[in-house]
Amino acid sequence: MLRHEFRPGRLVAGAAFALAGVVYAGAAGGLWETPWFALIPMIVGGLCLAGATGALARLVRGRRRPHRGTPAAPGADTAT
C-alpha cells in the first residue's frame, strides 16, 4: 500500500538537483572542468521540466474527490 501519492514533478525536480550536484562535485574533485554558470540553465531547465511534468500529471489525473475526514466545501450538496 502506498503511503502517499506519487508526484512525478517532484521526482523530475529531484533528479535535476541530483544531476547538478554530480556535475558540481565532479568539477570540485577535478574530474572535469565545468564553468560556474553552466549549473544555472541546468537547474532552471530542470525546474521548468518539473513544473510541466506536474501540470501534465494533474491534467491526466483530473480532479479527485476530497479524502475522508476533509471538510466539505461551503455550499456543497452532501445529501446526494
Side-chain angles (χ1 to χ4, degrees):
M1 182 57 81
L2 291 175
R3 292 185 180 196
H4 57 82
E5 181 179 343
F6 176 65
R7 299 194 179 211
R10 290 187 180 187
L11 177 68
V12 171
F17 278 106
L19 177 65
V22 167
V23 168
Y24 183 75
L31 296 176
W32 56 74
E33 288 289 323
T34 305
W36 64 269
F37 54 85
L39 293 177
I40 295 171
M42 188 181 310
I43 294 295
V44 171
L47 288 176
C48 289
L49 187 61
T53 304
L56 182 66
R58 174 79 174 176
L59 181 69
V60 167
R61 280 193 210 136
R63 291 198 173 255
R64 294 172 51 151
R65 294 182 307 183
H67 294 231
R68 286 184 289 165
T70 306
D77 183 23
T78 57
T80 317

